[in-house]
Amino acid sequence: MSEREQSFPALRERLRPQCERLIAQYERKRSALLPIVHLFQEHEGFVSPQAMEAASEMLDCTLAEVEGTVSFYTLFYRRPVGKYVLQVCRGLACAINGAEEILAYFRGKLGIGNLETTPDGLFSYEEVECLASCDRATCMQVNLEFVYSLTPQKIDELLDALRAGTYAVAPMAQTDAPSRTWQIAQDKQVSRGEKSPGAVGVSSPNNAGGLGDAAGVIMLDNIVNRDVTFFRETKERAVVDSRALVETLAKEADVAGH
Ligand code: FES
């Protein structure tokens, strides 16, 4: 058992009053899941299996529900990460504003790829989807603090200041040494690059946004270079909506008839 695992019961005890205060703020216990997981991450530097177990016990929900939530958000790390997590946006608005060059510049400067940590354990690097600051693309977060309008010069200054400890963002706790990647092995289908059962057996490996287009570059090329028409809704959505609409109209007709 690692030192961190051994000291986890003491940490849990120490955080208990704070967790209880968080839980008391909500009508339903499980609504406190995100703040509680944040709290553990703040102290351990990542969301450990022990933290997930503790959260499920405190909130009377299953471990699968906690894991499902934690794995959904890029702001939670399920493996130890560097003291500074650099999450650089590769969403559409950032891509149009030069994210591809920015991402390549980061990879070159750090000497690591997506979802990897530098050997000294200082930086973890991740290319993420839209960070909801499209008006100030290209952008990124350093330990969840925003940096906007990135340029190579800005990146140099940022990395220098982080290395020198003069950047105005605190390093994350680091209770376990990070390994090279914090990627969690997925099931066979996902690890083969097949995004969903619907993607299995897609005939062309070049289909935009699917097999062979993990970074979305082919999709972006199609949008920029081809005559693409977007429908207001997908077929599935239209089916769901139209059913809901029919039900609503039927109810209204019922009410009007009485
Ligand atoms: S696409 Fe980068 S912030 Fe939205």
Side-chain angles (χ1 to χ4, degrees), residues 155-230:
I155 295 169
D156 287 345
E157 288 166 6
L158 170 80
L159 295 178
D160 287 346
L162 288 170
R163 283 195 181 102
T166 54
Y167 196 75
V169 168
M172 304 216 346
Q174 202 171 50
T175 52
D176 268 358
S179 52
R180 184 167 172 83
T181 178
W182 74 95
Q183 194 159 24
I184 301 288
Q186 303 293 323
D187 62 38
K188 247 168 100 196
Q189 179 178 307
V190 176
S191 64
R192 285 202 306 261
E194 295 155 356
K195 292 188 170 182
S196 67
V200 178
V202 174
S203 54
S204 166
N206 297 321
N207 69 314
L211 289 171
D213 188 21
V217 174
I218 300 167
M219 179 151 65
L220 181 63
D221 270 0
N222 283 357
I223 292 169
V224 173
N225 300 322
R226 288 175 45 185
D227 190 15
V228 175
T229 309
F230 290 98

Side-chain angles (χ1 to χ4, degrees), residues 41-207:
Q41 179 162 281
E42 209 176 286
H43 286 80
E44 290 201 289
F46 72 111
V47 187
S48 65
Q50 292 75 22
M52 288 195 254
E53 225 174 284
S56 82
E57 284 167 20
M58 285 180 205
L59 301 170
D60 294 337
C61 54
T62 65
L63 188 55
E65 284 167 325
V66 177
E67 285 176 350
T69 307
V70 171
S71 61
F72 178 78
Y73 293 103
T74 52
L75 40 71
F76 295 127
Y77 319 116
R78 286 176 291 156
R79 289 268 178 87
V81 289
K83 290 185 179 163
Y84 295 100
V85 179
L86 311 174
Q87 294 179 305
V88 189
C89 181
R90 64 177 179 196
L92 186 57
C94 287
I96 288 168
N97 280 285
E100 221 176 309
E101 290 83 47
I102 294 293
L103 300 171
Y105 194 76
F106 259 114
R107 286 187 226 123
K109 288 292 288 190
L110 297 169
I112 52 173
N114 187 25
L115 291 171
E116 289 185 354
T117 299
T118 52
D120 59 3
L122 192 59
F123 298 116
S124 285
Y125 171 75
E126 184 178 10
E127 297 170 1
V128 296
E129 303 308 327
C130 182
L131 287 170
S133 280
C134 309
D135 57 325
R136 301 178 73 180
T138 49
C139 65
M140 67 176 295
Q141 289 185 319
V142 181
N143 289 359
L144 305 183
E145 295 292 333
F146 271 102
V147 184
Y148 303 105
S149 309
L150 295 169
T151 61
Q153 190 196 336
K154 225 171 177 175
I155 295 169
D156 287 345
E157 288 166 6
L158 170 80
L159 295 178
D160 287 346
L162 288 170
R163 283 195 181 102
T166 54
Y167 196 75
V169 168
M172 304 216 346
Q174 202 171 50
T175 52
D176 268 358
S179 52
R180 184 167 172 83
T181 178
W182 74 95
Q183 194 159 24
I184 301 288
Q186 303 293 323
D187 62 38
K188 247 168 100 196
Q189 179 178 307
V190 176
S191 64
R192 285 202 306 261
E194 295 155 356
K195 292 188 170 182
S196 67
V200 178
V202 174
S203 54
S204 166
N206 297 321
N207 69 314

